[in-house]
Amino acid sequence: AGGAMVVTDVTFDVPAGARLAVVGPNGTGKSTLLRAIAGIRPPAAGTVRVDGVDIGALRARQRALAVAFVGQEEHPSAELTVAEAVALGRTPHRGPWSVSDGAEESVIAEALAAVGMADYRNRPCTQLSGGERHRVTIARALAQEAPVLVLDEPTNHLDVAWRLRLMRLIDDLDCTTIAAIHDLDLAVRCFDLVAVLDAGTLRAFGPPADTLTPDLIHDVFAVRGDIVTHPTTSQPHLLLTEATPIPALTKETL
Ligand SMILES: Nc1ncnc2c1ncn2[C@@H]1O[C@H](COP(=O)(O)OP(=O)(O)OP(=O)(O)O)[C@@H](O)[C@H]1O
């Protein structure tokens, strides 16, 4: 309330099960949009519907059953063990008096295994690296088993191998996934749809090849984007370089 509108005029539909990458320069409104989608900070105007239901009208528990969210700098609570932090994802599924049973335990174990943290289950969250903590918060969201998973820059803190594993994981999930992502090459290769935000409005929306064109990349990000073919796999990749050629170092400039 009282704040300026950060994101305006954004309307799109994501088919169930699709993977949507939200891209755009820093400060363009990606986190704001994702928080609105997840119902964390409802929009001042407009609605977000999951399977036709306005999530702004849901109580917290129903909302948590509909959408799982991982924030950009979210950390598991320090006093919890890894397994306890992931178990929090099961809270909306539990009745007030229910205790954890075998089925609950197996969901938690599966989520931990998906992010490679099974061997850390009894470790306090304080004794984790930044990337490990981040993987635990992703496991917590997976354990929530919501039909929509919203991830704000999920590759942050992850090493190169884990960035690619996370993309594989997202690919294997049955749920709809919406992720803010800075790596445009990953957006092109690993997502079905791309929403390009530019200064708080939706600049383009559609399949990666139709949205992340060299012209649009130049316009929105002020860099040069070239689609190149991987020498071994023949897959298209997006190569990003500075828009203006870097002057070659000559004897005179050295
Ligand atoms: N709590 C806040 N109060 C006021 N303005 C905010 C607040 N949080 C973010 N903003 C502003 O809203 C705009 C959009 O921020 P947002 O975090 O959604 O951008 P973003 O696209 O996720 O950026 P980044 O790529 O840097 O994470 C920015 O101009 C930012 O300065």
Side-chain angles (χ1 to χ4, degrees):
M5 295 281 242
V6 171
V7 178
T8 50
D9 281 335
V10 175
T11 303
F12 54 73
D13 278 309
V14 185
R19 287 151 302 181
L20 168 70
V22 178
V23 305
N26 284 144
T28 210
K30 300 179 296 297
S31 296
T32 306
L33 177 65
L34 260 49
R35 281 198 292 267
I37 291 173
I40 309 283
R41 194 165 185 272
T47 47
V48 175
R49 293 179 193 281
V50 176
D51 206 10
V53 176
D54 175 1
I55 73 152
L58 297 177
R59 288 172 182 275
R61 180 172 171 197
Q62 295 304 323
R63 201 169 64 227
L65 290 170
V67 185
F69 177 76
V70 178
Q72 207 178 114
E73 293 296 336
E74 205 177 312
H75 291 313
S77 190
E79 60 271 23
L80 301 180
T81 65
V82 165
E84 286 165 348
V86 175
L88 287 179
R90 301 303 299 161
T91 313
H93 294 271
R94 288 191 186 146
W97 313 112
S98 71
V99 287
S100 184
D101 59 16
E104 290 289 302
E105 286 304 316
S106 77
V107 174
I108 293 162
E110 236 176 79
L112 281 170
V115 300
M117 293 299 288
D119 292 344
Y120 292 66
R121 56 173 301 129
N122 297 319
R123 204 188 265 204
C125 288
T126 43
Q127 293 173 20
L128 298 175
S129 75
E132 289 163 352
R133 265 201 298 271
H134 189 61
R135 276 149 54 196
V136 169
T137 54
I138 292 171
R140 193 264 304 140
L142 294 176
Q144 213 169 314
E145 292 189 311
V148 179
L149 177 62
V150 178
L151 305 168
D152 195 352
E153 302 196 14
T155 55
N156 270 2
H157 302 292
L158 298 185
D159 64 40
V160 278
W162 266 106
R163 276 172 196 221
L164 297 174
R165 276 184 212 142
L166 180 69
M167 291 301 120
R168 174 63 61 95
L169 178 63
I170 290 174
D171 199 35
D172 290 343
L173 293 173
D174 291 330
C175 62
T176 307
T177 307
I178 300 175
I181 201 122
H182 278 300
D183 186 330
L184 300 183
D185 180 45
L186 290 184
V188 166
R189 293 193 292 120
C190 308
F191 289 82
D192 308 303
L193 292 166
V194 177
V196 183
L197 280 191
D198 187 14
T201 62
L202 188 61
R203 179 67 189 268
F205 181 84
D210 302 341
T211 45
L212 287 175
T213 59
D215 278 350
L216 180 127
I217 289 170
H218 187 267
D219 269 12
V220 173
F221 296 94
V223 298
R224 178 180 167 149
D226 290 286
I227 301 287
V228 296
T229 305
H230 191 283
T232 317
T233 64
S234 299
Q235 293 287 312
H237 282 254
L238 184 57
L239 186 65
L240 298 160
T241 45
E242 278 189 289
T244 45
I246 305 164
L249 289 177
T250 61
K251 270 196 181 132
E252 287 71 41
T253 57
L254 283 174

